[in-house]
Amino acid sequence: MYKVIFIFCLLIFFNSVQGQLKQTKYALDSIHIHALTDKEWHKAYYLVRLRDSMAGTSTLPDLLLQKTAVFYKEYGRGMIAGISLRGTGTAHTQIVWNGIPVNSILNGQTDLNTFSPAGFSNIYIKKGGSSVSFGSGAIGGVVIFDDNLHFSPGFHLQNQSKIASFETMVNALQIENSSGKFYVKLKSQFQKSKNDYPYPGYQIKNENGAYQGIDYGLIAGYKIHKNMQWYFKSKIANWDRETSRTVYMPQNARLKTNNRYLLTGGQYKKSKFLNRFNAAWLYERYRYYFNKILPAHSDSHSQQWIIKNTSIWRLPANNKFLLGNEWQHQIGLGDHIQRHIRNNYALYAIWTKTNTHLLTRLKLRKDFSSAQVIPLTGAAEFEYKITDKHQFRGNFSRNFRLPTFNDLYWQPGGNPDLKPEESYAYEMGYDAVFASLSFHFTIFNIKSGNLIKWIPISNDFWQPVNFASVTSKGVEVSFSYKKSVSHTWHLAETIQFNYHKVSNDNTGKILPFMPKYVGNNLLSMHHKKWFFTYHFHYQGRIFTTTSNTKFLPAYQLHNLSLTFKTNRHWQVSFRIKNVLNAYYETIPSRPLPGRSYEFILNFKL
Amino acid sequence: MKKINLLLLFSLFVGLTACEKTKIDENTGAFDKGIFVVNEGQFMHGNASLSFTDEKLSQVENDIYKSVNHVDLGDQAQSIGFAGDNAYIVVTGSNKIEVTKANTMEKVVTIASGLTNPRYFETISSSTALVSCWGDPSVTTDDYLAIVNTNSNEVTGQIPVELGPEKMVKNTDYLFVAHQGAWGTNHKVSVYDLILKQITNVITVGDRPNSMVIKGNFLWVLCGGEPSWTGNETAGQLYKIDINNNFNVVATYDFAVTEHPKFLNLDGDNLYYYLNQKVYKMPVTATTLPTGEFLTYSGNAYNMETYKGKLYITDALDYQQEGTLTGFDLSNGQVIGTQSVGLIPGDLGFHFN
């Protein structure tokens, strides 16, 4: 029993505790559609654009939590972390790096604490099943990270240094240079923390929680002529973390992870045509040391080769057509997985028609995989403008998620007969956007079948099966208000609120580890050289049993920050997190820190 | 704000204790006659608990350790044992034993040092008990029996043993330790001589000995065999060992290669074991394994134990909700009752003082 539990725990470690809604990253899709159609996208879907002066030294969970009302869980500060969109599992959110979905093919997720948000041009969150154009796993939504090429000549340098509680140091450096024809960006983020925060209310500290990580990348682009460019993008992240204890169980383990993403491609663009070609190589490795002082460890790694091509035509009568092709060669192996290879191919098309009031879009996608039969997926979307300022929108989509290599091949337990997960989603929304005020309302329903879950077959053997169908329905409301009180006083306020009810269709019970309510409030004030923010995050209670008898209580977080901009070059910030020193957990028995402090120095050239 | 919170917390706490007091007063002597159910709780969720029920399973009280002591029990409670007036709750994940008054569940002390992955507790004298311990489960050579002084409630020493000590049974002369193998696999039974106070023999048995009983001069060891998921499947085996004759194996009973029995128990002159949702009954005089089952269980047993003419089966269901305890009458195989207990119910402690 214990052994399997242990192995299981390893799996869980990289997965959502509850349902092991693990997912495979897989078919992808046309990345930079928004390069051409950014505006339409932006309006048609509820899309949050993240930008933050402190992004350089932030962790991704920090950033997402501040800007959006997402459900988030973390196995202790700096440990494995994931988010859940629209009541789906943490593996149902696809992380898209420069157009390439990068969720692990081994466990289906991206550990947000090892994915530094530093130095990206844009970070978007796009919720909902219309993410069909990103292929497998994008059931709840996608988080998109872009490194754009800036060919206007100039040199930029930015360095951010952070000192924070629990002996935490972060440094993020970014250098950009463009000659007009040649663009290059170098970015790095280094983090180190002793992370020995006390567990509030207990006489114990997070004594096995130290971490250290470096994340760096090189972006280069060359403008061959005015219609054609070549680029190279990379992101390399190496992390070494001890694994936090729980309140009742000490830990002595350590997890080392390595991720390498390399991408090269080119773009050809004319007034009515765009073609983009990408070739990417993704590598990941996990090494888990049960006892950090011993050399013995469990090792697994994967590689992916990806080639994709996207063409977009602007046609007469406001029609637009996109055709994408994509091929993936995936290899996974490790101490618990024999070497397995999977080849996937996807062909997809998107047709958009714009009239004065009505925009319609149709998406179709067919995937072929050497391991699985994947159904035809697609989406139909519309957006109806009542006036300039009001619109209705809606979409219906079918999505899928491939089983991961762990689900299929983990020894013992892997089940090669698993079918892909499938989901049908629809949403309806209303948007009102005025000069100082905006309001968004969305109602959604996602019905997922064949969900993959590791279940006990006997008391010493667990196996993943396609076990249940789950319905997630809910409402998302967001409201923002901007006001310039005087010439020097500016104010902005954003409130977001999500309600989702996620229930097992067979038992009628609420799925464990899924809150019903999540709320977020961000108030910012700007006076001359001073910036002040007040951030409030609410997460409702979470059941921890399938019988809905036990739960983690709801919690509230209050964070404050104050920034002073001395001049064009220098800026200092001070932040207090969890001001009220609230006790909170997102995973049972794993408290997150009480009140803590951050000091950030920002230099820009 | 903090003050208000504290005040609120305080008043809540007072409210809680008040409630609990009345409850316990109503059931005076609360836990002197009945069955303790050790609910393991979910791995690393710190939600292990204890339940208590009567032998007819007519009523159950859950979470009794917490309701009496107002603290959580810990992570992965493995088993319960008794010595003197105390109950010893072995909590594997938290590397500790919670010592409580058996009749009231009031905490006496926590034994927190000298125990690394403790499993089972067995008394060997009026002042001594042994606790099987895995040590660091990723190390195969540091397994031991911890010697616990049950008067001072301290670990006073260690006896190194083979890999993966688990269940223990004893007669007046010997204590037998089954080595199921912890995270690996093993096929040994250690013999601890209660008079010489040392390990005197190591008996080789089948793969993964998971349960033992003693009847007269014979030790019965049920070996589950290697399950198919190991890629090296071996058959389950039942061993009959003569205690008074050099621990010679006097008989082995072989199951089919795909059969992996567990939970060997004794009631009267009959052995009971569990295999694939069925309970089998075998007289100790039998020369072959029984062909037909004694009764069928509709779920998946997580543990099974007999006690004075009754048989109890725990079921962890999906391991993410409260499990069940079901009792059967061994005279007719009929269900006598079933109760919802805690998360992942395992070991049972029969306490009838």
Side-chain angles (χ1 to χ4, degrees), chain A residues 24 154 157 187 212 240 362 518:
Chain A
T24 286
L157 181 148
K187 56 179 183 175
Q212 175 174 326
D240 187 351
L362 282 176
V518 183

Side-chain angles (χ1 to χ4, degrees), chain A residues 2-4 6 9 18 246 248-249 251 290-291 294 412 453 456 459-462 513 545-547 549 590, chain B residues 43-46 72 74 76 93-94 117 119 134 136 138-139 183 229 262 301-302 318-322:
Chain A
Y2 214 95
K3 175 167 180 172
V4 177
F6 164 63
C9 151
Q18 125 244 29
T246 67
Y248 297 106
M249 190 165 168
Q251 285 292 289
F290 178 78
N291 186 335
L294 299 176
K453 181 179 173 180
N459 62 352
D460 56 3
F461 182 58
W462 293 56
F513 300 100
T545 53
T546 51
S547 48
T549 47
R590 293 180 182 273
Chain B
F43 190 63
M44 295 192 92
H45 283 196
D72 290 317
Q76 301 154 70
S94 302
N117 283 294
R119 305 294 294 168
W134 287 351
D136 180 337
S138 66
V139 177
W183 285 1
W229 53 260
K262 46 199 174 187
Y302 192 70
D318 67 355
Y319 294 58
Q320 290 195 305
Q321 62 179 299
E322 291 75 8

Side-chain angles (χ1 to χ4, degrees), chain B residues 321-335:
Chain B
Q321 62 179 299
E322 291 75 8
T324 59
L325 175 68
T326 304
F328 297 86
D329 189 329
L330 285 178
S331 63
N332 55 19
Q334 295 299 305
V335 173

